[in-house]
């Protein structure tokens, strides 16, 4: 690594010693930016990396709400507005008990480059809370969302910061958040994306991250003389990203044999019946183990990491960060995996990523491969501004073009900077160059 990037990384580690996920994301990004920093000495003169690794603003707040027993509960809310060099902050809200500042900062930091790669004018941000929607009634979720927005509304807006969904935040939560924003501000504006179709949502937003992941993986495989058609696929998770990755990869001719949740995984050698998964997860909000009741030929195994012991050609981790460690990566490699596409954010540890790349496995990093969700969110913002709704096909075609464009940018940057086939470095470099130029042009702000 260049001295400059290394110096900034060391400083970041000292200032954020209690934030392991943020340090992990920053280490990966700064390491791959070495050739860029070497080629652009003006970045160091402008203190560009020091500014780039520090969020423009972090908001932390109390979220009090009343449960169904009439008791006051208190959660902690976050919004990290990381970088607005190329557009208003944009990034999802995560509701999960594991949420803390480190996780929100790593997600916001990754989001800067992801959003840049889409080619659309959106900066990077992320937010959420340690609230756990699992096991809560609709009314409890509504009261939580209303309280969360009663504080958050001060910091967001259609031209300043536009949150969306992430783990634990789907259409139901976005609806409650939007209703409260409108009630407080009196504004009917595109302040959130992932909205319902009756109040400004975009067709194909629900499908976008999963579909986009498959478009990217297909482009990557094609460029390397391989194809999705006829391959066996393992997908972790059974949430929004996992379900629509399954749908698209199946349409492309792949066979998905396993899916999971945070309790365990199901293995169905005949191919997962996605209608059953949708019924369990989207309608009944139950656990994946229910699948074997509907499909008795399938098996359920407790514990989620075992899913990576199932032989497959394509692995699509679509659950959460660090779900594939070095051991799981080596197991996948030994079982002949040819391509890995990250649907979740940072699902592979740094050691796992290195193992895949060393073994010649085609590796599609999250910030490129899962950018379809935020890309269609940006298209939702465009439709809201225009007061128009595009058809499903129109949005899906734009999504496809964007994902192919991202693959090309990552591929070309990797070649130009001497690391052909390294899509991790390629994506980081291509995304960073645009943000860096915009930051330089705007002065030391
Ligand atoms: P959902 O809440 O819809 O689904 C999450 C899935 O992952 C569930 O099956 C959940 O299981 C599982 N999961 C969550 N936490 C853990 C954990 N700690 N260990 C094991 N499994 C876990 O979220 P999404 O599908 O929206 O998000 C999945 C990933 O994709 C996240 O990393 C997110 O940041 C990323 N992403 C999402 C985008 C989007 O548009 N939604 C866009 C880009 C990235 P359980 O139900 O048991 O909790």
């Amino acid at each position: 690594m260049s001295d400059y990037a290394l110096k900034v990384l060391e400083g970041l580690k000292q200032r954020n010693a209690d934030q392991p996920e943020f340090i992990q994301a920053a280490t990966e990004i700064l390491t791959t930016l070495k050739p860029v920093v070497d080629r652009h000495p003006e970045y160091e003169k402008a203190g560009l990396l020091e500014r780039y690794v520090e969020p423009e603003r972090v908001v932390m707040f109390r979220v009090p709400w009343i449960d169904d027993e009439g008791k006051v509960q208190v959660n902690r809310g976050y919004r990290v507005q990381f970088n607005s060099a190329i557009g208003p902050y944009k990034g999802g809200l995560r509701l999960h008990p594991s949420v803390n500042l480190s996780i929100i900062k790593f997600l916001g930091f990754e989001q800067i480059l992801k959003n840049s790669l889409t080619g659309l004018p959106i900066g990077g941000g992320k937010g959420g809370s340690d609230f756990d929607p699992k096991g809560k009634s609709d009314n409890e979720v509504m009261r939580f969302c209303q309280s969360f927005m009663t504080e958050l509304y001060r910091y967001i807006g259609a031209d300043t910061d536009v949150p969306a969904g992430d783990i634990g935040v789907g259409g139901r939560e976005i609806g409650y958040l939007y209703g409260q924003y409108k009630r407080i501000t009196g504004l009917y504006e595109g302040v959130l994306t992932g909205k319902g179709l009756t109040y400004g949502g975009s067709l194909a937003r629900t499908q976008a991250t999963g579909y986009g992941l498959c478009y990217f993986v297909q482009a990557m495989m094609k460029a390397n003389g391989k194809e999705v058609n006829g391959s066996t696929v393992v997908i972790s998770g059974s949430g929004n990203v996992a379900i629509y990755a399954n749908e698209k990869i199946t349409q492309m001719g792949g066979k998905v044999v396993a899916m999971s949740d945070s309790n365990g995984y199901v293995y169905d050698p005949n191919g997962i019946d996605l209608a059953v998964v949708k019924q369990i997860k989207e309608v009944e909000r139950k656990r994946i183990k229910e699948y074997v009741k509907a499909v008795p030929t399938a098996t359920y195994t407790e514990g989620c990491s075992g899913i990576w012991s199932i032989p497959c050609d394509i692995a699509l981790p679509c659950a959460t960060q660090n779900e594939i460690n070095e051991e799981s990566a080596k197991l996948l490699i030994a079982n002949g995996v040819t391509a890995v596409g990250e649907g979740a954010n940072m699902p592979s540890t740094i050691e796992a990523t290195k193992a895949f790349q060393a073994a010649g496995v085609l590796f599609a990093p999250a910030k490129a491969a899962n950018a379809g969700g935020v890309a269609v969110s940006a298209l939702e913002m465009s439709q809201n501004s225009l007061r128009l709704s595009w058809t499903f096909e129109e949005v899906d075609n734009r999504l496809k073009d964007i994902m192919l464009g991202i693959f090309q940018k990552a591929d070309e940057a990797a070649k130009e900077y001497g690391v052909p086939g390294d899509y991790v470095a390629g994506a980081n470099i291509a995304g960073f160059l645009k943000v860096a130029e915009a930051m330089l042009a705007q002065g030391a702000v």
Side-chain angles (χ1 to χ4, degrees):
M1 200 186 311
S2 75
D3 287 351
Y4 177 41
L6 190 63
K7 198 175 70 192
V8 172
L9 181 61
E10 285 313 312
L12 176 145
K13 284 180 179 168
Q14 276 173 21
R15 285 156 69 92
N16 304 280
D18 57 342
Q19 297 173 9
E21 293 84 1
F22 176 50
I23 290 174
Q24 182 182 338
T27 302
E28 185 226 88
I29 290 174
L30 290 176
T31 307
T32 55
L33 291 182
K34 172 188 162 27
V36 185
V37 176
D38 287 349
R39 208 181 278 188
H40 293 274
E42 68 274 22
Y43 291 171
E44 184 170 7
K45 282 196 200 105
L48 196 113
L49 287 183
E50 289 88 336
R51 289 187 277 137
Y52 171 66
V53 300
E54 194 65 30
E56 290 177 20
R57 190 171 301 102
V58 175
V59 188
M60 261 172 76
F61 50 96
R62 178 171 70 198
V63 191
W65 56 280
I66 315 276
D67 68 17
D68 286 346
E69 314 283 288
K71 286 202 193 100
V72 177
Q73 302 287 341
V74 179
N75 286 98
R76 186 174 283 175
Y78 302 86
R79 187 71 185 166
V80 173
Q81 299 181 326
F82 224 117
N83 192 300
S84 62
I86 64 170
Y89 312 105
K90 180 95 197 79
L93 296 172
R94 173 175 293 192
L95 298 183
H96 193 273
S98 63
V99 163
N100 57 33
L101 189 57
S102 173
I103 288 181
I104 298 299
K105 277 180 69 179
F106 114 66
L107 289 164
F109 192 55
E110 295 260 310
Q111 198 81 41
I112 305 169
L113 299 188
K114 182 187 309 196
N115 293 2
S116 168
L117 281 168
T118 66
L120 301 168
I122 38 179
K126 199 82 186 187
S129 171
D130 55 1
F131 173 80
D132 186 359
K134 250 185 252 139
K136 305 287 191 305
S137 69
D138 282 354
N139 276 333
E140 288 177 323
V141 171
M142 182 176 72
R143 287 194 292 272
F144 169 83
C145 288
Q146 290 177 338
S147 180
F148 185 84
M149 185 53 85
T150 301
E151 185 61 28
L152 185 69
Y153 87 94
R154 301 165 208 282
Y155 309 102
I156 62 174
D159 294 316
T160 47
D161 184 355
V162 183
D166 190 78
I167 290 178
V169 177
R172 175 182 62 169
E173 291 75 18
I174 292 290
Y176 296 149
L177 291 163
Y178 189 72
Q180 185 71 354
Y181 179 84
K182 185 164 63 70
R183 188 179 182 202
I184 298 173
T185 62
L187 295 171
Y188 207 103
E189 60 172 16
V191 65
L192 291 164
T193 56
K195 298 187 291 298
L197 296 177
T198 53
Y199 62 97
S202 174
L203 285 161
R205 174 61 187 91
T206 306
Q207 292 81 358
T209 309
Y211 278 24
L213 170 66
C214 299
Y215 295 143
F216 189 99
V217 167
Q218 190 175 48
M220 176 178 76
M221 291 182 76
K222 199 170 156 202
N224 288 278
K226 299 189 179 358
E227 55 179 319
V228 173
N229 190 19
S231 56
T232 299
V233 185
V234 167
I235 301 181
S236 64
S238 47
N240 173 261
V241 179
I243 285 176
Y244 292 95
N246 181 325
E247 188 164 283
K248 182 52 72 181
I249 211 91
T250 305
Q251 287 170 13
M252 290 174 169
K255 181 164 86 164
V256 180
V257 295
M259 291 183 82
S260 62
D261 62 20
S262 57
N263 291 108
Y265 65 92
V266 288
Y267 173 55
D268 189 345
N270 300 321
I272 295 274
D273 184 337
L274 190 59
V276 174
V277 176
K278 282 187 179 178
Q279 176 66 23
I280 296 168
K281 288 291 175 181
E282 294 187 332
V283 181
E284 298 168 12
R285 295 181 186 271
K286 286 191 177 156
R287 313 305 302 155
I288 197 73
K289 69 174 168 209
E290 301 291 320
Y291 183 88
V292 294
K293 287 188 191 153
V295 186
T297 50
T299 52
Y300 173 74
T301 308
E302 201 65 33
C304 37
S305 64
I307 195 170
W308 306 121
S309 66
I310 299 170
C312 61
D313 305 304
I314 302 175
L316 302 178
C318 295
T320 195
Q321 64 273 359
N322 292 330
E323 54 170 310
I324 301 187
N325 58 19
E326 190 176 9
E327 194 188 333
S328 299
K330 287 189 171 156
L331 214 48
L332 280 162
I333 294 163
N335 285 331
V337 73
T338 53
V340 175
E342 294 190 318
N345 283 310
M346 204 169 77
S348 316
T349 63
I350 290 181
E351 297 74 28
T353 305
K354 282 188 185 149
F356 287 131
Q357 290 183 321
V361 174
L362 300 174
F363 185 81
K367 70 176 74 63
N370 74 19
V374 74
V376 172
S377 275
L379 299 180
E380 183 174 329
M381 289 164 70
S382 304
Q383 293 170 78
N384 292 164
S385 297
L386 293 166
R387 306 211 185 282
L388 287 176
S389 297
W390 297 332
T391 63
F392 187 97
E393 288 65 33
E394 199 168 349
V395 179
D396 191 32
N397 284 333
R398 285 177 194 255
L399 169 65
K400 236 177 264 171
D401 287 347
I402 290 169
M403 296 313 297
L404 295 185
I406 294 175
F407 174 71
Q408 270 162 11
K409 280 181 218 167
D411 191 38
E412 282 162 15
K415 286 177 184 148
E416 193 190 329
Y417 281 85
V419 280
D422 182 345
Y423 304 118
V424 176
N428 287 342
I429 292 168
F432 178 75
L433 282 170
K434 181 176 173 187
V435 175
E437 290 309 311
M439 286 178 74
L440 274 188
Q442 291 170 29
V445 291

PDB file of all heavy atoms in Angstrom, residues 44 128 175 238 300 310 333-334 356 432:
ATOM      1  N   GLU A  44      -3.134  13.671  -2.023  1.00  0.00           N
ATOM      2  CA  GLU A  44      -2.504  13.832  -0.703  1.00  0.00           C
ATOM      3  C   GLU A  44      -2.401  15.313  -0.350  1.00  0.00           C
ATOM      4  O   GLU A  44      -2.680  15.713   0.785  1.00  0.00           O
ATOM      5  CB  GLU A  44      -1.122  13.173  -0.678  1.00  0.00           C
ATOM      6  CG  GLU A  44      -0.504  13.248   0.706  1.00  0.00           C
ATOM      7  CD  GLU A  44       0.751  12.402   0.876  1.00  0.00           C
ATOM      8  OE1 GLU A  44       1.246  11.830  -0.117  1.00  0.00           O
ATOM      9  OE2 GLU A  44       1.252  12.329   2.020  1.00  0.00           O
ATOM     10  N   GLY A 128     -30.207   3.401  10.879  1.00  0.00           N
ATOM     11  CA  GLY A 128     -30.919   2.247  11.426  1.00  0.00           C
ATOM     12  C   GLY A 128     -31.065   2.339  12.922  1.00  0.00           C
ATOM     13  O   GLY A 128     -30.892   3.399  13.528  1.00  0.00           O
ATOM     14  N   GLY A 175     -43.645   2.375   4.715  1.00  0.00           N
ATOM     15  CA  GLY A 175     -44.966   3.018   4.737  1.00  0.00           C
ATOM     16  C   GLY A 175     -45.186   3.797   6.035  1.00  0.00           C
ATOM     17  O   GLY A 175     -45.607   4.957   6.008  1.00  0.00           O
ATOM     18  N   SER A 238     -33.134 -15.448   3.245  1.00  0.00           N
ATOM     19  CA  SER A 238     -34.426 -15.691   2.574  1.00  0.00           C
ATOM     20  C   SER A 238     -35.248 -14.413   2.698  1.00  0.00           C
ATOM     21  O   SER A 238     -36.458 -14.440   2.817  1.00  0.00           O
ATOM     22  CB  SER A 238     -35.152 -16.872   3.221  1.00  0.00           C
ATOM     23  OG  SER A 238     -35.137 -16.747   4.634  1.00  0.00           O
ATOM     24  N   TYR A 300     -33.902 -29.802   6.665  1.00  0.00           N
ATOM     25  CA  TYR A 300     -33.572 -28.568   7.393  1.00  0.00           C
ATOM     26  C   TYR A 300     -32.426 -28.849   8.346  1.00  0.00           C
ATOM     27  O   TYR A 300     -32.415 -29.865   9.043  1.00  0.00           O
ATOM     28  CB  TYR A 300     -34.791 -28.081   8.188  1.00  0.00           C
ATOM     29  CG  TYR A 300     -34.475 -26.913   9.103  1.00  0.00           C
ATOM     30  CD1 TYR A 300     -34.264 -25.642   8.571  1.00  0.00           C
ATOM     31  CD2 TYR A 300     -34.351 -27.079  10.482  1.00  0.00           C
ATOM     32  CE1 TYR A 300     -33.945 -24.561   9.399  1.00  0.00           C
ATOM     33  CE2 TYR A 300     -34.039 -25.992  11.320  1.00  0.00           C
ATOM     34  CZ  TYR A 300     -33.840 -24.746  10.765  1.00  0.00           C
ATOM     35  OH  TYR A 300     -33.526 -23.671  11.574  1.00  0.00           O
ATOM     36  N   ILE A 310     -22.521 -27.110   1.093  1.00  0.00           N
ATOM     37  CA  ILE A 310     -23.268 -27.740  -0.007  1.00  0.00           C
ATOM     38  C   ILE A 310     -22.555 -27.442  -1.336  1.00  0.00           C
ATOM     39  O   ILE A 310     -22.306 -26.277  -1.652  1.00  0.00           O
ATOM     40  CB  ILE A 310     -24.714 -27.195  -0.055  1.00  0.00           C
ATOM     41  CG1 ILE A 310     -25.437 -27.526   1.259  1.00  0.00           C
ATOM     42  CG2 ILE A 310     -25.470 -27.734  -1.257  1.00  0.00           C
ATOM     43  CD1 ILE A 310     -26.771 -26.840   1.410  1.00  0.00           C
ATOM     44  N   ILE A 333     -14.551 -23.673  -2.302  1.00  0.00           N
ATOM     45  CA  ILE A 333     -13.542 -23.863  -3.359  1.00  0.00           C
ATOM     46  C   ILE A 333     -13.295 -25.363  -3.577  1.00  0.00           C
ATOM     47  O   ILE A 333     -13.289 -25.849  -4.711  1.00  0.00           O
ATOM     48  CB  ILE A 333     -12.221 -23.142  -2.979  1.00  0.00           C
ATOM     49  CG1 ILE A 333     -12.448 -21.621  -2.947  1.00  0.00           C
ATOM     50  CG2 ILE A 333     -11.101 -23.499  -3.948  1.00  0.00           C
ATOM     51  CD1 ILE A 333     -11.372 -20.839  -2.203  1.00  0.00           C
ATOM     52  N   ALA A 334     -13.150 -26.095  -2.470  1.00  0.00           N
ATOM     53  CA  ALA A 334     -12.895 -27.544  -2.572  1.00  0.00           C
ATOM     54  C   ALA A 334     -14.051 -28.251  -3.279  1.00  0.00           C
ATOM     55  O   ALA A 334     -13.857 -29.246  -3.981  1.00  0.00           O
ATOM     56  CB  ALA A 334     -12.683 -28.125  -1.176  1.00  0.00           C
ATOM     57  N   PHE A 356     -10.843 -16.832  -2.286  1.00  0.00           N
ATOM     58  CA  PHE A 356     -11.555 -16.988  -3.569  1.00  0.00           C
ATOM     59  C   PHE A 356     -10.686 -16.498  -4.722  1.00  0.00           C
ATOM     60  O   PHE A 356     -10.549 -17.172  -5.752  1.00  0.00           O
ATOM     61  CB  PHE A 356     -12.866 -16.179  -3.559  1.00  0.00           C
ATOM     62  CG  PHE A 356     -13.961 -16.774  -2.693  1.00  0.00           C
ATOM     63  CD1 PHE A 356     -14.658 -15.992  -1.786  1.00  0.00           C
ATOM     64  CD2 PHE A 356     -14.319 -18.114  -2.813  1.00  0.00           C
ATOM     65  CE1 PHE A 356     -15.672 -16.526  -0.994  1.00  0.00           C
ATOM     66  CE2 PHE A 356     -15.344 -18.666  -2.027  1.00  0.00           C
ATOM     67  CZ  PHE A 356     -16.008 -17.859  -1.117  1.00  0.00           C
ATOM     68  N   PHE A 432     -14.280   5.263  -6.767  1.00  0.00           N
ATOM     69  CA  PHE A 432     -13.553   6.301  -6.031  1.00  0.00           C
ATOM     70  C   PHE A 432     -13.167   7.477  -6.925  1.00  0.00           C
ATOM     71  O   PHE A 432     -13.228   8.637  -6.495  1.00  0.00           O
ATOM     72  CB  PHE A 432     -12.293   5.691  -5.397  1.00  0.00           C
ATOM     73  CG  PHE A 432     -11.454   6.684  -4.659  1.00  0.00           C
ATOM     74  CD1 PHE A 432     -11.851   7.165  -3.425  1.00  0.00           C
ATOM     75  CD2 PHE A 432     -10.263   7.155  -5.205  1.00  0.00           C
ATOM     76  CE1 PHE A 432     -11.085   8.097  -2.734  1.00  0.00           C
ATOM     77  CE2 PHE A 432      -9.489   8.091  -4.525  1.00  0.00           C
ATOM     78  CZ  PHE A 432      -9.908   8.559  -3.290  1.00  0.00           C
TER      79      PHE A 432
END
